Amino acid sequence: MSENRTPTAVLLHGWPVTSDHWRYLVPVLEAAGITAVPVTLPGLGAAPESGVTDFRKAALAEEVRARLAREGVTRFAAIGHDWGATVGYCIAAQAPESVSGLVVEEEILPGVDVEIPAAGRGHYPSWHGPFNRTPGLAEKLVPGREAAYYGTFLEQSAGPSGLSPDTLHAYIKAYSTPGVLDAGLAYYRTRSADVDDIRALAAQPISTPVLAVGGGHAMGTAVAAGLATLASSVTPLVLERSGHYPAEQEPDSVNLAIVQFLQRHS
């Protein structure tokens, strides 16, 4: 495949959702003349390919960039949600010549010390990180109880406006697939290595323009505050009615902001 010549956006979703997180954004990008390339990171809603053993975000970033290069995608905007945003940041830090702009939706990167605002702390869960990082605990308690485990996190983190029942069912079903639980837990259990990697990359703040998207009932202003320690140009955006999923909960506002941002930084 030849190298991409039209504006391209690589979409990296997080945990515990699937590429359906981008269902409202993709057609808007395409209508704006921006090619959307959704990427599913190993284990995030689908069982990872055999041989995937390193879930450090910097390592996943290298794998994504290599995969895109094989497909001729060498210059792109990175749009990431949750863990996908940490991977997107790592790509921009590792290969700044490849990334024209970075959109970070609802993520505070490992090792970045910022506090979630009070409105978000009342909704965004604090239990899942320690639970997922405790060796053997989720493996014993979650199988057969996926609806309770993932459903509780999704319902709490979405805030008052919530997600539709069909969306909740689809995400829970995807994460009930064999192999997905163990892979998802691995994303959390690389924390110490992720912190070291992010701190090493942060020694040189990225010059890539960043759009920081937070939900008013989740991470909110903390998304931009955290990125201000990692990037030299950060534009904040808070969606007051959203929880952890602004691209799904307030898609019109998010889509407009992303398209305008990408058009300025293509």
Side-chain angles (χ1 to χ4, degrees):
M1 181 183 295
S2 61
E3 292 188 1
N4 57 305
R5 298 183 181 277
T6 59
T8 300
V10 174
L11 314 180
L12 301 153
H13 67 80
W15 181 97
V17 302
T18 69
S19 59
D20 199 43
H21 178 70
W22 309 118
R23 63 191 180 278
Y24 301 117
L25 177 60
V26 168
V28 173
L29 291 175
E30 298 285 355
I34 301 168
T35 300
V37 182
V39 172
T40 294
L41 295 169
L44 293 188
E49 297 178 3
S50 60
V52 178
T53 58
D54 192 347
F55 290 88
R56 288 166 42 246
K57 311 312 167 291
L60 292 171
E62 291 175 353
E63 289 296 324
V64 169
R65 186 159 54 93
R67 185 196 321 172
L68 292 170
R70 291 194 294 270
E71 297 173 356
V73 180
T74 56
R75 176 76 172 168
F76 51 89
I79 302 175
H81 168 248
D82 189 84
W83 283 129
T86 294
V87 173
Y89 161 79
C90 290
I91 296 173
Q94 293 166 350
E97 72 284 353
S98 296
V99 183
S100 56
L102 173 64
V103 178
V104 171
E105 180 195 9
E106 273 292 300
E107 177 71 327
I108 300 170
L109 276 68
V112 174
D113 186 16
V114 295
E115 188 173 12
I116 294 175
R121 291 198 304 274
H123 295 280
Y124 190 75
S126 59
W127 57 265
H128 68 293
F131 180 83
N132 289 347
R133 285 192 292 270
T134 302
L137 183 60
E139 291 91 334
K140 292 178 181 177
L141 297 181
V142 172
R145 304 180 183 92
E146 287 84 0
Y149 169 60
Y150 296 111
T152 297
F153 177 83
L154 287 161
E155 289 171 355
Q156 290 178 348
S157 62
S161 60
L163 295 169
S164 74
D166 287 346
T167 297
L168 283 171
H169 176 76
Y171 288 156
I172 292 167
K173 182 178 180 181
Y175 278 79
S176 300
T177 303
V180 170
L181 173 62
D182 288 343
L185 297 174
Y187 278 77
Y188 288 84
R189 294 176 184 174
T190 57
R191 179 171 175 79
S192 60
D194 289 334
V195 169
D196 290 343
D197 289 339
I198 297 299
R199 287 177 176 168
L201 293 171
Q204 179 61 51
I206 63 171
S207 59
T208 305
V210 179
L211 175 64
V213 181
H217 294 286
M219 296 178 181
T221 57
V223 179
L227 285 161
T229 68
L230 303 171
S232 58
S233 176
V234 179
T235 300
L237 174 66
V238 176
L239 286 305
E240 297 294 349
R241 299 190 304 277
S242 292
H244 192 47
Y245 314 95
E248 300 185 61
Q249 296 176 292
E250 295 184 70
D252 292 344
S253 298
V254 172
N255 293 347
L256 177 62
I258 289 177
V259 168
Q260 290 179 340
F261 175 78
L262 297 186
Q263 288 174 335
R264 290 195 302 271
H265 305 291
S266 60

